[in-house]
Amino acid sequence: MHNRKNQEALRMAKKTPYDMAVEQLEKCAKIMDLDPNALEILRYPNRVLSVYIPVRMDNGKVKVFNGYRSQHNNALGPYKGGIRYHPDVTIEEVMALSMWMTWKCSVAGIPLGGGKGGIVCNPKEMSVGEIERLSRGYFAAISRIVGDKEDIPAPDVNTSGREMAWFMDEYSRYSGYNVPGVVTGKPLDIGGSEGRTEATGRGLWVTVCEAAKKSGISLKNATAAVQGFGNVGLYSALFLSSSGAKIVAVSDSKGGIYNKDGLNVKAVADFKAKTGSVVNFPGAKSITNEELLETKCDILIPAALENQINASNADKIDAKLVAEGANGPISPDADEILFQKGIMVIPDILANAGGVSTSYFEWVQNLQNYYWTLEEVRTRLDALMVKAFNNVYEKASKNKIDMRMGAYVCAVDRVVKAMKLRGWI
Ligand code: GLU
């Protein structure tokens, strides 16, 4: 039994995120009896660009970095999706992430397609000057295929408003005038939107509130564990605690912390800002990232990287509800196991769609050069997330499928309709 499980884990480990994404798409195609011509198109990204970026490092030497931009599908509107800086970035990962963006924009009901970019680098070991030169070099290299009507990048793992400001500046230099709508997630002073920074966490919280209502969980005093303490993990934890939930465990790439009485999220964030990690936070017990995922809790939020819950640990998940803050944290085999255990999963393309939805609002504001208040942004985002959740929930319950497949059927259906109307099929 043990051996079989290990073998399975090994097989999984060899699968790329792109294999995972295609597997999910094929599963959905079966459920909805999808036109094979549509499946053939959707299986592949429309375009993937690979670039090599020479950067003058602080020691005077030139180092070349590899980066990608994948544009999966633009039937519904311009390509949209973040850019990540991480040593483990691969072309297959970026391709998968761009496909997930197509579905995410479609589930959210916004007129955008799917794209994603990444640079293979470790920004934690680079100076700010090196990161700026790399960012500008990357944007220069992909400038021919991005634009406020073509492909609009945004923050992702290890990137934030700082990098978006450099991207916007670099692109505006070539254009000869300001093009704020070429990227979203910018700082407020140069065309960013109110509420964009908190948006992914807020959207996730809205979906958890809806799911809790359906499954009879009261958020007041519910326990939650959050893997990953970047932008998504932090804001998800803050919003959940605002509803009275107890955040019993959080983690980052260096390890995790646990306190059965609940952690003060704001204090943990201040501690991480000072020391670089949540590890050693006073009054909490140290745990590993694996232990965090297996923590007994009501709500589990994987908000780190892909393939964290797979065939090797899915049967040890001890939560009532899992909301995917990250993209692709649960493998298709693990989906089956969680479904059989009766654990509701709010899939990434729904749970973390608040980020791209508020990016959409930012882009609309940029194009109109007219800006909204925080209240307006929040009201529109909350309404969009509630609607998207209920569409997916209905689709899943009606067809007796899990929430991921419910979301896929809604998403693929809308994209295929657009492709048919445009005469692609
Ligand atoms: N990187 C985020 C995501 O995976 C946001 C994308 C965007 O705002 O375009 O959804």
Side-chain angles (χ1 to χ4, degrees), residues 80-82 101 104 116 152 154-156 184 196 327 352 355-356 359:
K80 184 85 192 80
M101 286 310 300
K104 198 183 296 184
K116 196 71 151 214
I152 305 129
D156 199 82
T184 58
R196 175 62 186 87
N327 294 310
N352 71 38
V356 74
S359 275

Side-chain angles (χ1 to χ4, degrees), residues 66-144:
N66 189 196
Y68 305 101
R69 182 75 185 168
S70 171
Q71 300 177 329
H72 176 255
N73 187 285
N74 62 350
L76 289 171
Y79 302 104
K80 184 85 192 80
I83 292 171
R84 63 174 55 181
Y85 291 2
H86 197 278
D88 298 339
V89 164
T90 61
I91 192 164
E92 290 86 3
E93 182 194 41
V94 174
M95 283 161 64
L97 289 160
S98 70
M99 191 193 292
W100 287 329
M101 286 310 300
T102 302
W103 313 141
K104 198 183 296 184
C105 292
S106 183
V107 167
I110 56 179
L112 293 167
K116 196 71 151 214
I119 306 180
V120 189
C121 66
N122 188 351
K124 291 183 181 148
E125 287 170 3
M126 295 167 71
S127 71
V128 175
E130 288 169 343
I131 300 174
E132 177 172 355
R133 293 192 290 281
L134 174 62
S135 302
R136 289 186 183 275
Y138 170 79
F139 223 65
I142 65 162
S143 64
R144 290 289 183 100

Side-chain angles (χ1 to χ4, degrees), residues 319-342:
K320 293 186 184 132
L321 187 66
V322 184
E324 293 184 316
N327 294 310
I330 303 180
S331 74
D333 325 37
D335 266 341
E336 305 275 345
I337 300 171
L338 297 181
F339 189 54
Q340 270 154 28
K341 279 171 68 117

Side-chain angles (χ1 to χ4, degrees), residues 369-381:
N369 205 8
Y370 181 74
Y371 289 85
W372 310 350
T373 63
L374 177 61
E375 249 359 87
E376 281 173 291
V377 172
R378 283 183 163 177
T379 308
R380 285 179 204 257
L381 175 65

